[in-house]
Structures are given as C-alpha cells and as structure tokens.
Amino acid sequence: MTNEHNEHLNTNDMPQFPESYWWDSITLPSFPKLTEHREAEVVVVGGGITGVTTAYLLAKAGLKVVLVEAGRLLHGTTGHTTAKITAQHDLIYDELIHTFGQEKAQLYYKANADALHFIKRMIEDHKIECDFHEQDAYIYTNSDTYTTKLEKELAAYEKLGIHGDLVEQIALPIPIKSALVMHKQAQFHPLKYLKKLVELFVQLGGTIYENTTVETVEKGEQPEVVLRDGHKITCKHVVSCSHFPCYDGMRFYFTRLYANRSYVIGVKSEKRYLGGMYISAEDPKRSVRSATSANGDNLLLIGGESHKTGQGICMIKHYEALQAFAQQTFGIEEFAYRWSAQDLVTLDNVPYIGHLSSSTPNIYVATGYRKWGMSTGTAAALLLRDMITRKENAYEELYTPARFHLVPDVKTFVVQNADVAKHLIGGKLEMVSKKPESLSNDEGAAVSVNGKRAGAYRDKKGNLHLVDTTCTHLGCEVEWNEGERSWDCPCHGSRFSYDGDVLEGPATEPLKKIEQS
Ligand code: FES
C-alpha cells in the first residue's frame, strides 16, 4: 500500500519498553502480602476486572470476602486491554445460532448488554470519572467474502433483536466494502473505573492481598486455599478469576483452553479521529479506538497481530506491523505506548463461568473470554454473585463449564492437542548452536549450554540469566518473547520471567535455573 505518510515511518521511534497507557495514567493503592492463616466466607483468586467486580458484589451482598492476587492488582490482562465495552465480539452471533441455537445466542447477547448496563449504572451512581463514552462499534471489511459474512451476521442480529445495520462508509480513512455497526456500545479507562470498585470493596469490609500466590485448593465443605508459602485461607466458597483456574480438580482445563497473545500501540495521530470503535473482519486483524492521554491529547489505541502464545514471529515485528498500519492510516505524530496481552480462548468460543465441576459445588471458575474481557468479566461477576448467593440467573446454563458440544468442540480439541504434541516433540529435537557468549546486552534466545538447549537472557547490565527451557507444566519447550522479555510456552500459554518465575499459568513452578560451569 502506498501512502503519503509512508516515508516518515521510523521504527526507532518505538518506545523502548512495553508499557500500558492505562497503567501509565493512574496510581493505584498497594496492598500487603498475606503472611498468616485466615478465614473468610469467600476467597476470590485473581485481581482483574472479574475478581474485583465479583469481590465488590459479594461484599455488597453482605459476605466476608478476601481477594488475593499473585502480583499487583489489575496488572494482568485487565491492565493491558483495549477496553471496549461491547456485545459485538467480532463475528459471533451467526456462529452461536448454529452451534447453540437462537435462544442461547440471544442470552449471550443479553448477558453482555446487561454487563454494559451495569458498568454504566455504577459510573452514574458513584460518579466515577473514567472517560466513559458511548460509541458505536463496527466490524469492517474490504473483501467480498467477508461482506457476505457480515450480511449473515446482520441477519443473525435481526433474528436476535440486536440494534445494528450494514453501512458502506465509516469514519476511518481506509477503503472498505462494508461494515456492520452495533449501536450504543462504549469505551472507558478500565483502571479508573476499577480503582473505584476497589475503594468500595474495602469500604464494605473486604480485604485485599497482593503478591500472594495460590498454590492449590483443598476441596471439601470448608475448602482451604493453600498459598505458595504454606499459609491457608479457610472459607465456604472459592472463586478462581485467575485466567487458568488456580485449581484444576482433574478437569484438564488446559486441554479445553488455548492462549492467544495480541498487541496494542498508543499513538498521537496527525489526522483527526472522528469517533467509533472498529475491528477488521479479516486478517490481519486491526482494532481501533481513541482514548484521552493524561495531558488531554487524543491518543489512538490500535490493536491486532494476535497469535497463539509462544508461536509468533519475532515480537517486535508485530509492533512494527501495527506501527506501519497507524502510519499509513492516520500518520504518527508521536509513538507513545506499546504493550501486549494474553487472552484465553475456549473450544466453542463461549467462556467457562460457573462450577469448576459437579463434584466441587463451592469452587467456581471464570475464564476463556477471548478478547472481550470488559463485558464478559462483568457478566461473569454478576453470574458468580448470583450463584453464590443462590439467586436464579438466566445465564448459568449458557456459560456452564460442564458443557462439551460435539461439534465443533471435538474437532478443535483434536487440532489443539495435535498442536501441543508438535511443540512437545519439535522443541526437544530443535538444534541450537547459538552460545550465551554471543548475546548482546538486553538480548535473549535459546542457546546451547554443555550440548543442551537452554534459555539465556543477558540483562542491560550484562548479567547472564540461564534457565532450563522445559516448561514445568507438561514439558513443552518455552520460547523467548522479545517484546515482553519473557519465556512463553506454545502448548498451554504458561509464561515465565527471564529468570524463570511464573508470570502466568497453568504452570505453577518456576523454570529451573542453570548455573554455567
Ligand atoms: Fe502446558 Fe507449558 S503450559 S506444557
């Protein structure tokens, strides 16, 4: 594609380190680590939008709630989202009608519309200043094949009573054939909104612990949440909002979920942005919305380049592709931010929210939101609150993790697991010749140490960090993620820091450190 802005593209303008705009524009309170045994009625594990909203709702219902987070609150996917609050989850409704039937497809829409309504009401009731703006959401295409798909999706909207239209023009300076709009969706600053929910939770008597890692859960009438350092929290209900469930209970969730990584950049543009939230129907996916930077400048958030975790090209290339799109479409005045996020996807594209299994009625999970965590995380919190307080909720059956549809689940299941086997075997056989000595400062790679594959990162001061690249979950070989400076597992999405600490599960043990002789 040629473009008037192309000649100005300069990859050196890219921020040196990944940092989310949301995190850069707010200060959040910090909370202590739990260092003793405790009791509670409900333990919520995971401090993202689902965990914080669930904890708030349960405390408001009068329950004694403890929220534990392995790292910092709101620092996972919630702090790295594009923060669109919408029921337009890409092209989904035509597929849902075929897989689940019209009634469930309609429930899926309503659950997300309810979530948007709940967020809006919270903002109004508590006067939360969080840059909330109503926006129309668009899926656009420049291909004939996807135009037909958009027409089918509009037919699904009409069957389900969703307020939408097909249009031939949008307010983005790119050629399109067609776009499907869902009216009156919204965008906000997720951390400004959730900061208020955290304050309300604490005012209601809730307790939060950060840097508190859950090792496992001992099931029973009074389940015990066991922390990595051996302390326990005894409770009546455990809610896992930690992406991969903090306790699997032999349900093998890692075979029913796969991890995707995607990228976001924040740029100040040369062209004026005329509003709306957009996503392309076809690949390469491009997601666009605006935000307001701390000093009042208009920032464009451009996302895309999604791939299975640990299986992408060189990470910087993904940012460069988004940078090129931004430059060609809007012109970049300043490249202010870049960051990435990991999302989990279920076999049938509908999240798992509800009882972990029928034999553990007091342990709940919420996971597999694809890329739609703002509405789905809120819908999950509302459902979990109702399940724990024994209120009827129309969405319980739709989201139950107990479901296993034969089509297309089984096909996806086989493909996913064949993919895992490929990485399990392929990674082991891969020959690496690179030596740790050849690494420059701030460079990481798979290297050969004493004839064996190892992971090496030389930090900015020149210190070398060596780890065993065998993932501690089930033994696949982790790959270097240059963008985030982490070791990522291509099999089920575990991530480890450059010196091996667990950043994201399902792995719970760190990578082994290697001492160089
Ligand atoms: Fe399962 Fe690595 S996450 S083998």
Side-chain angles (χ1 to χ4, degrees):
M1 194 178 350
T2 55
N3 189 288
E4 59 193 292
H5 299 291
N6 233 351
E7 67 218 61
H8 303 303
L9 182 65
N10 181 355
T11 52
N12 294 331
D13 296 339
M14 189 182 296
Q16 201 183 354
F17 297 108
E19 179 175 40
S20 141
Y21 160 65
W22 312 123
W23 263 91
D24 189 41
S25 51
I26 196 166
T27 310
L28 287 170
S30 55
F31 296 90
K33 180 182 161 111
L34 178 58
T35 54
E36 59 185 8
H37 294 310
R38 272 213 59 150
E39 288 186 1
E41 283 179 287
V42 185
V43 177
V44 175
V45 182
I49 187 167
T50 313
V52 168
T53 312
T54 305
Y56 160 73
L57 288 169
L58 290 171
K60 191 154 184 274
L63 296 172
K64 196 172 146 200
V65 184
V66 167
L67 170 62
V68 291
E69 160 59 46
R72 292 286 320 278
L73 219 52
L74 306 172
H75 218 314
T77 302
T78 298
H80 295 84
T81 168
T82 49
K84 296 174 176 174
I85 319 166
T86 177
Q88 190 187 58
H89 295 180
D90 211 335
L91 292 168
I92 182 91
Y93 290 101
D94 182 51
E95 177 191 321
L96 284 178
I97 289 174
H98 283 99
T99 316
F100 286 83
Q102 187 164 330
E103 198 184 320
K104 287 222 171 93
Q106 196 155 40
L107 285 172
Y108 183 99
Y109 169 71
K110 278 189 172 163
N112 287 285
D114 285 359
L116 169 55
H117 183 69
F118 171 84
I119 292 173
K120 202 171 162 186
R121 219 182 48 227
M122 283 296 292
I123 290 168
E124 283 165 8
D125 289 354
H126 297 280
K127 303 189 176 20
I128 308 174
E129 286 183 15
C130 59
D131 310 330
F132 179 91
H133 298 289
E134 216 163 64
Q135 297 277 349
D136 288 341
Y138 296 83
I139 310 171
Y140 65 86
T141 184
N142 200 26
S143 105
D144 290 331
T145 310
Y146 276 92
T147 297
T148 309
K149 288 189 182 183
L150 290 187
E151 284 163 5
K152 280 190 182 162
E153 189 75 352
L154 177 65
Y157 279 21
E158 283 164 358
K159 273 189 199 152
L160 302 175
I162 300 172
H163 187 29
D165 277 313
L166 271 185
V167 294
E168 284 174 3
Q169 281 184 340
I170 54 175
L172 291 188
I174 48 178
I176 66 154
K177 291 210 156 114
S178 170
L180 177 63
V181 55
M182 189 183 281
H183 297 290
K184 294 193 166 204
Q185 307 301 293
Q187 63 184 37
F188 68 164
H189 188 308
L191 302 195
K192 286 185 183 171
Y193 167 76
L194 289 164
K195 184 180 181 180
K196 183 67 183 178
L197 266 65
V198 168
E199 284 167 16
L200 293 169
F201 172 60
V202 172
Q203 280 164 20
L204 288 162
T207 313
I208 299 175
Y209 296 104
E210 290 182 316
N211 302 308
T212 300
T213 307
V214 173
E215 183 94 18
T216 188
V217 176
E218 286 170 3
K219 63 179 182 177
E221 228 166 85
Q222 299 253 300
E224 292 192 310
V225 176
V226 184
L227 306 181
R228 182 167 287 165
D229 64 5
H231 290 110
K232 292 181 177 178
I233 317 174
T234 310
C235 58
K236 292 182 182 154
H237 305 272
V238 183
V239 188
S240 172
C241 309
S242 54
H243 271 210
F244 264 99
C246 60
Y247 167 70
D248 187 74
M250 299 296 283
R251 302 300 296 168
F252 301 109
Y253 272 83
F254 58 84
T255 63
R256 299 197 269 155
L257 289 160
Y258 64 92
N260 253 337
R261 177 150 294 273
S262 55
Y263 301 82
V264 183
I265 63 171
V267 300
K268 287 176 196 157
S269 63
E270 289 169 0
K271 286 187 183 167
R272 206 159 76 83
Y273 189 71
L274 299 172
M277 306 187 298
Y278 302 88
I279 191 164
S280 63
E282 61 268 49
D283 287 329
K285 281 277 174 211
R286 295 291 178 253
S287 156
V288 185
R289 63 157 280 192
S290 63
T292 311
S293 74
N295 54 10
D297 288 335
N298 219 11
L299 203 63
L300 288 191
L301 303 184
I302 295 168
E305 293 288 302
S306 158
H307 61 82
K308 284 181 85 176
T309 294
Q311 299 185 20
I313 50 173
C314 162
M315 300 295 156
I316 292 299
K317 300 270 179 237
H318 293 296
Y319 290 115
E320 285 174 357
L322 294 180
Q323 182 185 19
F325 171 79
Q327 180 69 16
Q328 286 160 359
T329 311
F330 303 103
I332 298 177
E333 204 176 280
E334 185 191 333
F335 191 161
Y337 299 95
R338 67 179 172 97
W339 70 87
S340 70
Q342 182 156 305
D343 294 282
L344 294 178
V345 186
T346 67
L347 300 183
D348 57 17
N349 284 330
V350 173
Y352 298 134
I353 306 164
H355 297 297
L356 177 85
S357 70
S358 55
S359 62
T360 50
N362 51 6
I363 304 178
Y364 306 80
V365 291
T367 186
Y369 302 166
R370 291 197 294 151
K371 304 199 181 310
W372 308 102
M374 299 297 103
S375 60
T376 315
T378 305
L382 291 163
L383 171 55
L384 293 165
R385 185 266 320 265
D386 288 351
M387 290 179 81
I388 290 170
T389 58
R390 295 185 185 281
K391 260 205 240 154
E392 249 187 61
N393 185 303
Y395 311 122
E396 188 172 334
E397 200 191 321
L398 168 71
Y399 288 122
T400 178
R403 72 181 186 272
F404 195 76
H405 294 274
L406 287 179
V407 181
D409 271 13
V410 169
K411 205 169 119 209
T412 319
F413 180 87
V414 172
V415 171
Q416 291 303 330
N417 285 284
D419 199 35
V420 168
K422 188 179 87 190
H423 284 278
L424 201 56
I425 298 163
K428 295 282 172 217
L429 298 180
E430 184 201 349
M431 296 293 292
V432 278
S433 53
K434 199 174 178 98
K435 295 283 183 199
E437 301 76 61
S438 66
L439 291 177
S440 313
N441 285 7
D442 197 22
E443 185 185 358
V447 295
S448 172
V449 174
N450 303 329
K452 285 197 187 135
R453 188 184 199 268
Y457 170 65
R458 190 176 296 285
D459 66 26
K460 291 186 202 110
K461 292 183 182 151
N463 302 317
L464 188 66
H465 303 262
L466 281 178
V467 292
D468 184 335
T469 51
T470 311
C471 176
T472 56
H473 177 229
L474 288 178
C476 290
E477 293 291 305
V478 295
E479 302 289 343
W480 180 242
N481 174 342
E482 195 177 313
E484 306 298 311
R485 291 162 178 79
S486 61
W487 293 102
D488 296 357
C489 182
C491 288
H492 312 108
S494 290
R495 296 183 56 238
F496 304 85
S497 70
Y498 61 77
D499 56 0
D501 287 339
V502 178
L503 298 174
E504 290 187 51
T508 54
E509 297 293 321
L511 297 176
K512 271 196 214 126
K513 287 197 195 326
I514 295 178
E515 301 301 331
Q516 207 179 9
S517 49

